[in-house]
Amino acid sequence: MSIDSSTTLYCLIGNPIDKSLSPLIHNEMFRIFGKNSIYLAFNIEENKLRDVIDGFKAINVKGFNVTIPFKKTIIRYLDGLSPEAEILGAVNTVKNQDGKLIGYNTDGEGFYKTLRNNDIDVKDKNILLLGAGGAAYGIGITLSTKGIKSIYIANRTREKAVNLEKEIKKINPNISTSIGDLSLREINKKDIDIIINATSIGMYPLENLSPIELNGFDKKTIVYDIVYKPRETKLIKEANLRGFKAINGLSMLLEQAILSQKVWFNLDEKFLEKAKKVEGLLSVYVE
Ligand code: NAP
């Protein structure tokens, strides 16, 4: 890559960002797509967010990603939202459109794309969603538009599960919903088709923990852990040992990044397929 006076700047803002794979992924995609752009990561203090956004506008940063803990708070500094970001109340991708910063959310669609890549049809399926944080919101709300039959939201903090359940009901009142905690006491495990871990349990530094035990679930159940660091979480290891189909978080990470590039450069699907090459690079970096 050669940097010159025409090189455009993209970046990630969050706190902490030191373990982020986004610079690796996006710089590689710029190379694949032949873009004269560079992607950096900035660790931001909450009280500096406004200054950062004003600075981005002043120096014409073309786009950026937003991660924990700013996915919601960023909204007040933006000039507009895509319909998905509006529904989710959270933004992970921002595009500078002629000086106006527009927020998008590619988490839910990125997740859904990976299900399709694995030939998994969610229509009439019973979902167990672990977590009710930002990623769980994106996933739960996206799934509620895709014909699922039921969703059980299990979260440590009940209030957040209640809020997500309400949002899902607003979008599709026909979905059967229920909530509980991670003990899964009230659930009939045999009915569950897909388990999705969208909690941080299993992710560094909680890598020695698993959000749930898999005993009692039917062998046909698919176990999807969106955590990607480590690649094989404790939950994924247990799923593999017990013979469940298991999917880790790397493919979602890649798909949501591809969708960010789509937002920034208006790339069509065929062109975006080239970005799949990044997957090989990621498997080298993520243990
Ligand atoms: P978040 O908004 O902070 O939500 C964290 C979730 O984990 C909440 O449901 C939280 O429960 C739960 N949790 C955290 N620590 C817990 C503990 N010790 N015991 C029980 N529950 C706990 O984070 P997020 O953005 O949703 O991200 C969640 C995970 O998904 C992270 O590991 C992140 O790296 C991963 N992720 C992966 C991708 C991908 O592309 N593969 C994309 C986004 C996120 P409470 O509500 O009770 O706090």
Side-chain angles (χ1 to χ4, degrees), residues 94-131:
V94 177
K95 180 178 185 178
N96 184 338
Q97 282 174 211
D98 305 319
K100 300 247 180 280
L101 297 181
I102 310 299
Y104 295 79
N105 196 308
T106 66
D107 279 339
E109 278 304 321
F111 171 81
Y112 184 63
K113 184 85 195 309
T114 63
L115 291 180
R116 284 188 291 148
N117 293 346
N118 281 282
D119 292 323
I120 297 166
D121 184 1
V122 295
K123 195 164 173 355
D124 294 325
K125 295 292 192 299
N126 299 309
I127 310 289
L128 168 58
L129 178 61
L130 310 174

Side-chain angles (χ1 to χ4, degrees), residues 4-72:
D4 59 27
S5 54
S6 310
T7 304
T8 50
L9 174 62
Y10 292 79
C11 62
L12 170 71
I13 58 169
N15 190 343
I17 45 89
D18 54 323
K19 295 264 184 292
S20 174
L21 294 168
S22 294
L24 178 80
I25 296 174
H26 285 290
N27 283 313
E28 185 60 10
M29 287 189 194
F30 292 154
R31 196 187 61 74
I32 293 169
F33 295 141
K35 300 288 175 191
N36 184 6
S37 304
I38 186 169
Y39 188 103
L40 301 175
F42 296 111
N43 198 60
I44 304 293
E45 294 304 324
E46 175 110 47
N47 63 357
K48 291 278 187 279
L49 195 54
R50 174 181 287 280
D51 293 347
V52 167
I53 300 307
D54 287 346
F56 282 178
K57 277 189 168 181
I59 63 168
N60 201 19
V61 168
K62 294 293 181 192
F64 56 96
N65 290 121
V66 185
T67 189
I68 296 171
F70 304 128
K71 285 187 178 182
K72 283 181 187 292

Side-chain angles (χ1 to χ4, degrees), residues 219-236:
K219 276 283 173 288
K220 69 171 190 343
T221 310
I222 295 163
V223 179
Y224 193 144
D225 195 339
I226 74 161
V227 171
Y228 53 82
K229 205 167 176 64
R231 189 179 353 169
E232 268 214 341
T233 58
K234 208 165 174 233
L235 180 66
I236 291 282

Side-chain angles (χ1 to χ4, degrees), residues 192-245:
I192 299 297
D193 298 298
I194 309 175
I195 300 169
I196 302 159
N197 177 37
T199 72
S200 317
I201 305 174
M203 183 181 139
Y204 167 90
L206 302 177
E207 71 269 31
N208 292 324
L209 301 177
S210 181
I212 56 165
E213 298 285 324
L214 290 175
N215 40 343
F217 289 96
D218 194 278
K219 276 283 173 288
K220 69 171 190 343
T221 310
I222 295 163
V223 179
Y224 193 144
D225 195 339
I226 74 161
V227 171
Y228 53 82
K229 205 167 176 64
R231 189 179 353 169
E232 268 214 341
T233 58
K234 208 165 174 233
L235 180 66
I236 291 282
K237 274 189 191 142
E238 193 190 341
N240 283 329
L241 269 176
R242 290 173 177 260
F244 293 94
K245 180 175 173 62

